[in-house]
Structures are given as C-alpha cells and as structure tokens.
Amino acid sequence: MLNINEPKINEVVQNIHEAMVRKSKRGGKSSEEIITESRIFSIICSDFDLGPAKVAGLMNSEYGYDMTSDEVIQIFRSRKMANPNERKELFKWADNVARLFKGAMLGKKEKFEKLESLRKEPALKSGKKHDSQDRIAAIMIYERYPEIDIFDDRNSLYLLGNTVAKYFFYDMVDAVRDVYFFNQDDDENKPEQSEKKNKLSYEQAIRRVEQLEGTLERTNTMLQDLQDEFEEQLEAGKIKELADFFAMLNSEKYGCILDELLVVRKGVDALRKSNYELPIEINGLLIMVKKLVQFVRDSHIEPMMKIDSIREVSATDIEFCNYEGSPFDSDKTKRVKVISPGWIYKDKDLQISRPKVKEVRS
C-alpha cells in the first residue's frame, strides 16, 4: 500500500491528476462502448482467467448492466482479445507494469528503469504490441493501488479510449520521473557552491525547454493517432452495418437463411453425386441459391464450423457456442454435433452468429 501523505508520492499523484485534467479535455465525447470496455478491463484485473459468462455476470451485479456472454465475446473480438491465453498474457503484463510502477513511486530507481523497459515491450509473446495494452496498464495501476485515486481519476480514465489513455499512461510515468529526477545525471542533484547553483539553474532551464519540446511532439503525435483512431471507428461502423445485415439474414425471424443455403447446397451436391436427375422446373431456384452463396463468399462471410460435423469440446470452447446438452464437469470434454455452423466476417474476425452444437449421447 502506498502512503499518499508521503510528500513525494503525493506530488506524483498531484502531477498525475493534472495530466488527467489535460487528457480529459482532449478526450472528446466518450461513448458508452468505451466505458463498458474499461469496466470489463477493470473486472478482469482481479482475475485474469475470467471467461465471457462470468464477466457478464459481474458487469450485471457490479454495474447494473443487463449483459450477455455474447455481448462480452463481441467486445473481446473488437478489442482483439478473444483468445483467452493471449488475454491472460496481456493482463499479466499489465500487472507486472503496475507492480514496477509502485516501486518507482517509492523512489526506487531500479524499479523505474525496469518499468521503462517493460512498458515499451509488446505485451504478447507473439511479439506484437496490443492496441489496448497501455490503457489496460493504466487501469491496472488504479485497480492495484486504489489509494492513489484521491481525485477520482479512475472514473475519468474509464472515459478515455485507447489513444488518449495510452498518452495518459505515458504522463503517469513522466510524473514519477519528474518528481524523483530519474534519468538525470547524479551530479545535477548534488548541492554545490553558489556558482555551481547558477550553472545548474541554466541547465535546468535547458532541460525544461527540452521537456516542453518533447511534450509538444508527443501532443502532435497524439492528435495524429486520434485522427487515425477516428478513421478506424468510421470503418468499424461500416463493418458493423455489414455484420448486422448478415446477422439479420441468419436470424430465426428470417429462417436462418445462411444456414439454409448450406443445407440446400449440400443436399443438391449429394443428389448429383448419386446421379439423381433434378427436375428442370427447379433449375431457376438452384441458380438463385448458387448466386446467393457466391454473394456471401464475395462479402467474406464464412462459416465457422462444418455443419453436421462431430467435435470434441471443453467448457471453455462452449462459451463461444449455443450448447444443448448436459452440464460440463470441470476439465472434461464432450462430443457434440454441429447443428448450425456459426458465421464470421473473415477480414475483421467479427462474429455474426454463434455456432449451435448438440451433445452426442453414446
């Protein structure tokens, strides 16, 4: 636990708050989607193994949502953390960052140097820096050390999207550096004679100019990143409209048209393989089915599983499916038959509908 009454720690907290005030002004209008994501991140900070169903339950009990596991899965996919192993890697990295940040706030230079190194590294073992890793690191620090939140900055942090939250996290690290003069020559911190003090003041002025130049450069970079993020959101909006269209096609209201296309095509292929001569009267219908299948393919909409196939699944696998069967025992698998394959927008790994599977009883 950090002692907020300790002068240097209090100064760091004050500097962090000033950075939050600046970032809140630049953050723009926050969407409910961003707040929901941040709350999900905060919940996972307490248990990195939480699956979609448990996350949804905690969101409902702690924040008053009426959320389903499907909605949590969709958020995981949109934030590129649907893989539970990679999600755990991401939050373990953030946890290590938070622990080093505590050591740095206590004035331990070696912890700060390790923090500087770790925060620049990709959170995932694949070597790729995750879009949300800095944002999650900032949230993790407030979750691990809530005593620093004397200005209610955690709720303000929940309003920030990936880009602004990333630069706020950078400001948090700078706040520690500036209070403890980390990364400065030891000689600059030693008391000297009057002439030396005058020289030191000049050097400090030069350093301050350099810091301001660095801040300006970072601000310009942040503005460019915000523009890029805005353009990505516009593109994501178009993709969502496409996904919603195909989700409606495959809804029960319209008879699960995508699933039926696969069933019809499979049936026709089977008849042709058996040399069955199809009535000429249905040729027009078959041409239409063929064209519809081609339209779906051209739109990069693909089935997730093979219909009627038999699979071995675990309780974790089933979180991403609509399952019919007996409850799962821990660490055991069951054989299931794929009733509906589920559909995905391939280019963006965006799920349109969930697979439906049914337990195969021996």
Side-chain angles (χ1 to χ4, degrees):
M1 187 170 181
L2 293 161
N3 181 9
I4 300 303
N5 295 321
E6 202 282 324
K8 284 190 176 294
I9 293 178
N10 189 268
E11 187 179 353
V12 171
V13 172
Q14 293 277 352
N15 290 349
I16 289 174
H17 174 62
E18 290 173 9
M20 174 55 77
V21 171
R22 293 193 301 270
K23 290 298 182 288
S24 296
K25 291 177 180 177
R26 293 186 178 276
K29 185 178 180 180
S30 297
S31 67
E32 185 61 35
E33 182 180 359
I34 289 175
I35 298 171
T36 301
E37 288 173 359
S38 296
R39 287 173 172 171
I40 286 176
F41 295 162
S42 72
I43 284 174
I44 300 176
C45 283
S46 63
D47 185 350
F48 309 154
D49 292 312
L50 287 175
K54 290 185 178 179
V55 170
L58 289 170
M59 287 288 284
N60 298 339
S61 61
E62 293 186 15
Y63 293 109
Y65 282 77
D66 185 18
M67 184 170 281
T68 65
S69 58
D70 276 358
E71 290 172 317
V72 175
I73 290 169
Q74 201 61 51
I75 290 172
F76 282 167
R77 287 185 177 277
S78 68
R79 289 272 62 92
K80 301 175 184 176
M81 55 176 67
N83 183 309
N85 294 325
E86 288 189 351
R87 189 164 65 247
K88 187 172 183 177
E89 284 178 28
L90 178 59
F91 279 85
K92 285 182 71 174
W93 172 89
D95 189 41
N96 289 333
V97 167
R99 295 179 192 281
L100 290 172
F101 189 85
K102 176 188 177 182
M105 283 192 74
L106 293 171
K108 298 177 181 179
K109 188 174 182 179
E110 71 279 7
K111 297 293 185 183
F112 179 81
E113 289 173 347
K114 289 181 179 179
L115 170 65
E116 278 281 72
S117 175
L118 182 61
R119 75 179 182 88
K120 296 173 183 176
E121 294 178 2
L124 302 179
K125 292 177 182 177
S126 62
K128 185 177 181 181
K129 191 162 186 177
H130 194 279
D131 293 345
S132 301
Q133 70 178 60
D134 296 315
R135 176 182 173 192
I136 292 172
I139 291 173
M140 182 72 75
I141 290 169
Y142 279 93
E143 290 297 322
R144 287 284 178 266
Y145 312 109
E147 61 272 17
I148 71 172
D149 192 22
I150 60 178
F151 296 103
D152 200 24
D153 285 332
R154 177 167 57 175
N155 286 335
S156 298
L157 175 58
Y158 287 179
L159 304 175
L160 305 182
N162 278 354
T163 298
V164 181
K166 175 177 72 173
Y167 285 95
F168 171 67
F169 174 59
Y170 293 172
D171 288 340
M172 293 177 74
V173 177
D174 287 346
V176 177
R177 178 192 290 110
D178 293 344
V179 168
Y180 288 102
F181 299 101
F182 289 141
N183 292 355
Q184 294 188 19
D185 295 334
D186 291 337
D187 289 342
E188 291 186 14
N189 298 315
K190 294 179 181 178
E192 299 290 350
Q193 301 292 336
S194 178
E195 291 179 298
K196 283 284 187 181
K197 285 183 179 178
N198 290 334
K199 182 179 179 183
L200 180 60
S201 297
Y202 173 76
E203 290 174 348
Q204 285 180 325
I206 294 297
R207 185 174 294 279
R208 181 59 179 159
V209 170
E210 291 174 348
Q211 288 175 342
L212 290 172
E213 288 176 344
T215 300
L216 178 61
E217 182 179 354
R218 180 180 291 178
T219 300
N220 288 335
T221 303
M222 183 184 73
L223 291 174
Q224 181 59 54
D225 287 349
L226 282 171
Q227 179 63 35
D228 294 342
E229 185 178 62
F230 176 70
E231 291 174 359
E232 288 175 5
Q233 289 172 349
L234 286 178
E235 181 64 24
K238 296 176 183 177
I239 291 168
K240 187 176 184 304
E241 288 180 6
L242 176 69
D244 288 346
F245 168 74
F246 282 101
M248 187 179 296
L249 277 184
N250 207 50
S251 66
E252 292 184 359
K253 179 180 179 180
Y254 294 103
C256 303
I257 290 176
L258 297 183
D259 291 351
E260 289 302 318
L261 285 175
L262 288 185
V263 172
V264 171
R265 189 186 66 178
K266 183 178 179 181
V268 170
D269 289 345
L271 288 173
R272 283 175 173 164
K273 284 181 181 178
S274 64
N275 294 321
Y276 180 85
E277 188 173 338
L278 296 170
I280 193 170
E281 290 83 2
I282 68 169
N283 279 349
L285 176 62
L286 297 181
I287 291 172
M288 184 181 71
V289 168
K290 184 177 179 181
K291 293 292 185 183
L292 281 172
V293 170
Q294 189 62 47
F295 168 67
V296 171
R297 284 177 175 170
D298 290 346
S299 299
H300 300 181
I301 308 298
E302 298 184 5
M304 298 173 64
M305 296 182 180
K306 187 176 180 180
I307 197 165
D308 291 334
S309 62
I310 303 297
R311 289 174 168 253
E312 197 84 16
V313 296
S314 65
T316 301
D317 299 328
I318 226 64
E319 286 187 338
F320 298 90
C321 304
N322 291 329
Y323 168 70
E324 181 183 340
S326 60
F328 274 78
D329 296 326
S330 58
D331 301 327
K332 287 190 177 181
T333 61
K334 291 181 180 290
R335 294 178 75 239
V336 297
K337 181 178 181 179
V338 177
I339 307 301
S340 172
W343 295 84
I344 191 169
Y345 178 52
K346 190 69 174 177
D347 287 358
K348 297 294 181 180
D349 195 27
L350 180 64
Q351 190 176 38
I352 291 171
S353 65
R354 301 178 78 179
K356 296 177 185 178
V357 297
K358 186 175 182 179
E359 181 180 7
V360 176
R361 300 181 184 273
S362 54

